[in-house]
Amino acid sequence: MIKYKLDVQEELKKKGYTSYIIRKNKYLSEGTLAKIKRGEPINMKSLNAICCMLRKNVDDVIDIEITDDEKIKYFI
């Protein structure tokens, strides 16, 4: 399961990226912003954009915690 290590929208706001600016410049879609707000996973292109805007590495933004269901499904 992918979890955000930080409040992405708050961190973007600190860097000057308001929701208006993000939508106006088409950095991220409205759907992606909604997924981030709900803590849901996003696609790699969006994750890359966030990392660029925040000037952070992927492992600074997300963490992967393997759930028991994922262990059952994927572990051999």
Side-chain angles (χ1 to χ4, degrees):
M1 172 180 280
I2 295 173
K3 294 189 176 200
Y4 295 99
K5 288 184 172 180
L6 42 83
D7 183 337
V8 174
Q9 289 182 314
E10 184 63 33
E11 293 298 315
L12 288 169
K13 195 181 294 184
K14 286 179 186 177
K15 292 281 188 184
Y17 294 101
T18 63
S19 294
Y20 173 77
I21 290 171
I22 291 169
R23 284 192 310 270
K24 178 184 170 204
N25 294 309
K26 299 180 181 174
Y27 296 142
L28 300 169
S29 71
E30 187 67 37
T32 298
L33 291 173
K35 284 182 178 183
I36 292 167
K37 188 173 185 176
R38 292 189 304 258
E40 296 176 359
I42 56 174
N43 66 42
M44 294 298 286
K45 183 177 177 183
S46 298
L47 181 58
N48 181 65
I50 290 167
C51 289
C52 290
M53 288 187 279
L54 295 179
R55 293 156 190 88
K56 293 186 178 285
N57 291 318
V58 172
D59 62 341
D60 296 326
V61 177
I62 63 169
D63 192 23
I64 297 175
E65 295 179 9
I66 301 171
T67 65
D68 289 338
D69 288 341
E70 290 168 329
K71 288 177 186 175
I72 293 167
K73 183 175 181 177
Y74 299 113
F75 286 16
I76 297 175

